[in-house]
Amino acid sequence: MSISSLEAELSRQRAINRELKHELNEIERGVSNGYRVLEDCNNKICSTLNESTAKFEDSHQKGIAAIELQGEIDKMYVRFKQMELANKKIRECNNKKYYDFSNYRTIRKLVQGMMDNLDMDMVSDAVIYKSVEIQHLKTPDYWLTCVLIAVMAWKNDDRSLAERAIERAITLDKKIVLFFLCCLIFECRGMNLL
């Protein structure tokens, strides 16, 4: 082969070589770009995973706090119900005190007046009977009403009514009624009522 054909072959091989070099450069740039994209994607995935872990941890802490808060709310609800029940019982006691004792007041005044003055005739029997009857209908569980009914029955010689009233008074309050009945019996005997 001649030198010119060799030079032509060399020139052709150089052109192929340049072409291959150019292609290799493009492949290298593509690989570099791919590597950068892969690195960016990896960084984004790591960042997203870190954020997700932080959010998950935050959610977990909030869940624990919510459970603790629910426990406190449950305790407060029980306390609230207990306070509500206590307030209801206090209202019931106040109502009972207000209504029962306002009814009892009339009877106590009559008995106290009779005991203070030792005079059964200071108020007429009709007034006492009417007052006792009205009060006894309002509060049949008041022992003093039964005692006053017994005294009035003794005064008017109605032994069966007196005995029924004493029995009822004793069932309502055994300790106070026995003592008070004894006092009334002695007073009534002293006034020749028995």
Side-chain angles (χ1 to χ4, degrees):
M1 289 217 223
S2 68
I3 292 198
S4 68
S5 71
L6 284 176
E7 280 180 351
E9 184 61 28
L10 181 66
S11 173
R12 191 177 67 79
Q13 290 297 328
R14 281 185 183 163
I16 291 173
N17 202 12
R18 274 193 307 272
E19 220 174 276
L20 286 174
K21 195 174 184 181
H22 179 67
E23 285 178 12
L24 281 175
N25 283 338
E26 277 188 34
I27 290 172
E28 184 185 358
R29 276 195 302 271
V31 167
S32 292
N33 285 339
Y35 181 77
R36 255 184 277 119
V37 168
L38 185 62
E39 182 108 0
D40 288 346
C41 183
N42 187 35
N43 289 339
K44 284 182 182 178
I45 289 172
C46 288
S47 174
T48 302
L49 286 174
N50 288 338
E51 286 177 18
S52 296
T53 303
K55 286 180 182 178
F56 180 76
E57 188 65 33
D58 185 50
S59 296
H60 180 68
Q61 292 301 323
K62 285 179 180 175
I64 290 172
I67 290 170
E68 290 172 357
L69 182 62
Q70 183 62 45
E72 288 181 32
I73 288 171
D74 290 345
K75 288 178 188 174
M76 289 173 67
Y77 181 75
V78 168
R79 266 192 235 134
F80 169 75
K81 281 299 187 183
Q82 289 171 343
M83 288 176 62
E84 190 177 53
L85 181 62
N87 282 331
K88 181 181 175 185
K89 288 183 179 181
I90 289 169
R91 280 192 307 274
E92 287 172 0
C93 287
N94 284 336
N95 287 341
K96 184 167 179 57
K97 178 182 73 172
Y98 177 77
Y99 290 112
D100 287 356
F101 290 131
S102 68
N103 291 339
Y104 295 171
R105 190 176 302 124
T106 304
I107 300 300
R108 284 197 306 269
K109 284 181 182 177
L110 283 171
V111 173
Q112 185 177 1
M114 288 165 40
M115 295 300 292
D116 286 348
N117 297 319
L118 295 176
D119 185 5
M120 292 287 286
D121 295 323
M122 69 177 230
V123 181
S124 72
D125 287 353
V127 170
I128 293 174
Y129 267 127
K130 184 172 182 170
S131 179
V132 170
E133 182 182 2
I134 290 169
Q135 295 307 318
H136 189 64
L137 289 173
K138 287 182 184 175
T139 52
D141 59 342
Y142 187 36
W143 62 270
L144 193 53
T145 307
C146 297
V147 170
L148 195 52
I149 289 172
V151 170
M152 294 307 295
W154 282 329
K155 182 180 175 199
N156 293 316
D157 291 328
D158 189 350
R159 190 170 187 83
S160 66
L161 177 60
E163 288 174 0
R164 285 195 317 269
I166 289 171
E167 286 176 19
R168 177 72 179 140
I170 289 171
T171 59
L172 291 173
D173 193 338
K174 292 178 181 160
K175 296 175 189 171
I176 296 172
V177 172
L178 289 175
F179 174 77
F180 192 69
L181 277 176
C182 291
C183 292
L184 278 179
I185 290 169
F186 288 126
E187 292 298 328
C188 290
R189 283 188 181 158
M191 295 186 300
N192 294 323
L193 295 174
L194 296 177

